[in-house]
């Protein structure tokens, strides 16, 4: 046997002896103990564990208020708020936090000084009453910045725990916090805006805007419009703008709930016995009764006090443009909008000249001037210019102009003997007064006058005018 082989056999023998020794020692050692549950698991403690069906009431008692919330048949109520709409999210939050509470840990099993935790004079207490009549009370003390928690103990126990402060948010509510700030309930997807009216001390005359059928009323003055001001006078409105205002109304929520079940004295105190504005918004739905929302608004010192739909609550709202709409804000910018299919004649008088255009044919395809045919496409552009006169927002009702009109446009209609007339008067630097059938309400830019005068010569000379007079 070689020397190398002998060395290898000795090494293997030593290794076998070491392995045998290891297992012998292992068998003689006592078994390892399993870690205790307190070492392996969490130190958290369940303080409250109830189902919502077991809960009868929650009472929070604070030096600055508190509340009593009761539950029955899955319905929540708050003492003192009977008959008022409640914030469902807040009632659910209270029920959730009052039926399940876990302490982060026990901090003192037998405290010698409760004052260290603010529990000698608790900040507030929570009493939970179950449907079987039994109850328990938790007392809350100081907040611990180190653990983001609040110290708490059961009123009939010594142990002090710490609970995450974020799990106690609903116990900071006051009674008034439960009143819903949502003023307008959800409407059906099929609800159709029908009408809005404004009255009150800010409105010498009611302002009424509603769905209106000009064609059905055989009124050719404002073809194409589906909504109109019907008070104080009949005028078209811009549907897109009105719908934008209505959308804002539907999105309205209160800033604060000032008082519930108010008294007559409180009504007068906030100016709601004689409101500045009374606003009624009506929606219709096929086969259903109309839905009407009514607002009473009082404007005082940059604060809007409000009542909605006779709910016995006074709210404060953020002031919004829809609350104070006036006639001048809602009337359509265009002075007239007759359809070319309703017009039998369009007459323009300016600069001592008179231009008379006769319109006929089922599709208003025949246009003549002094017996000569006018190209329909060119006349369509000219007609767009004539009906494109629009106000500049400067409201001057009842103005009596001086002198003769600089421009007069008259539309005669096929189906009746009536006509509509626009008269334009000098109103100073780059301005014109515009009289619609003799009544002046607004001014407009004077550039319109020059554009129409030029277009009249263009159309009778076979040219196509540009209908855009503002460029």
């Amino acid at each position: 046997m070689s020397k190398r082989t002998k060395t290898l056999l000795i090494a293997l023998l030593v290794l076998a002896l070491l392995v045998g020794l290891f297992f012998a020692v292992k068998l003689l050692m006592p078994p390892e103990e399993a870690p205790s549950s307190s070492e392996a698991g969490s130190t958290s403690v369940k303080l409250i564990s109830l189902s919502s069906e077991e809960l009868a009431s929650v009472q929070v008692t604070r030096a600055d208020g508190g509340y009593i919330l009761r539950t029955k048949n899955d319905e929540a109520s708050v003492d003192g708020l009977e008959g008022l709409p409640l914030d469902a999210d807040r009632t659910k939050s209270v029920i959730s936090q009052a039926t399940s509470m876990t302490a982060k840990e026990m901090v003192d099993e037998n405290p010698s000084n409760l004052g260290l935790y603010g529990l000698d004079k608790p900040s507030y207490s929570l009493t939970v009453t179950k449907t079987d009549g039994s109850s328990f009370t938790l007392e809350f003390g100081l907040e611990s910045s180190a653990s983001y928690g609040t110290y708490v103990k059961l009123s009939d126990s010594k142990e002090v725990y710490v609970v995450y402060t974020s799990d106690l948010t609903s116990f900071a509510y006051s009674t008034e916090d439960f009143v819903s700030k949502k003023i307008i309930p959800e409407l059906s997807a099929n609800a159709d805006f029908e009408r809005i009216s404004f009255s009150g001390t800010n409105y010498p005359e009611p302002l009424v805007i509603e769905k209106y059928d000009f064609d059905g009323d055989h009124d050719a003055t404002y073809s194409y419009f589906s909504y109109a001001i019907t008070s104080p006078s009949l005028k078209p409105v811009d549907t897109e703008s009105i719908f934008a205002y209505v959308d804002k109304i539907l999105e309205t929520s209160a800033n604060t709930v000032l008082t519930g079940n108010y008294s007559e004295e409180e009504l007068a105190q906030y100016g709601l016995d004689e409101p500045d504005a009374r606003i009624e918004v009506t929606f219709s739905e096929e086969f259903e009764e109309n839905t009407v929302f009514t607002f009473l608004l009082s404007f005082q010192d940059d604060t809007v006090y409000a009542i909605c739909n006779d709910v016995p609550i006074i709210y404060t709202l953020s002031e919004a443009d829809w609350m104070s709409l006036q006639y001048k804000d809602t009337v359509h910018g265009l002075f007239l909008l007759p359809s070319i299919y309703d017009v039998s004649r369009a007459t323009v008088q300016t600069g001592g000249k008179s231009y008379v255009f006769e319109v006929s044919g089922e599709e208003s395809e025949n246009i003549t001037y002094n017996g000569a045919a006018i190209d329909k496409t060119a006349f369509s552009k000219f007609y767009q210019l004539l009906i494109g006169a629009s106000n500049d927002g400067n409201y001057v009702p009842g103005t009596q102009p001086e002198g003769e009109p600089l421009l007069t446009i008259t539309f005669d209609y096929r189906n009746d003997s009536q006509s509509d007339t626009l008269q334009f008067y000098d109103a100073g630097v780059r301005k014109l007064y515009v009289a619609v059938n003799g009544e002046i309400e607004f001014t407009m830019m004077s550039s319109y006058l020059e554009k129409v005068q030029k277009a009249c010569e263009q159309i009778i000379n076979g040219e196509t005018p540009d209908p855009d007079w503002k460029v």
Side-chain angles (χ1 to χ4, degrees), residues 20-35:
L21 180 61
F22 170 79
F23 282 106
V25 172
K26 184 76 174 174
L27 290 171
L28 293 173
M29 289 178 63
E32 293 183 8
E33 293 185 5

Side-chain angles (χ1 to χ4, degrees), residues 288-305:
E288 300 287 344
E289 291 186 6
N290 285 353
T291 299
V292 181
F293 299 118
T294 303
F295 294 86
L296 303 183
L297 304 178
S298 172
F299 306 94
Q300 298 183 25
D301 300 325
D302 299 323
T303 300
V304 181
Y305 300 101

Side-chain angles (χ1 to χ4, degrees), residues 212-222 342 413 415-416 418:
Y212 193 86
D213 184 3
F214 284 101
D215 291 334
D217 199 30
H218 304 293
D219 187 340
T221 304
Y222 301 114
D342 294 323
Y413 300 111
N415 297 329
D416 54 44
Q418 294 181 344

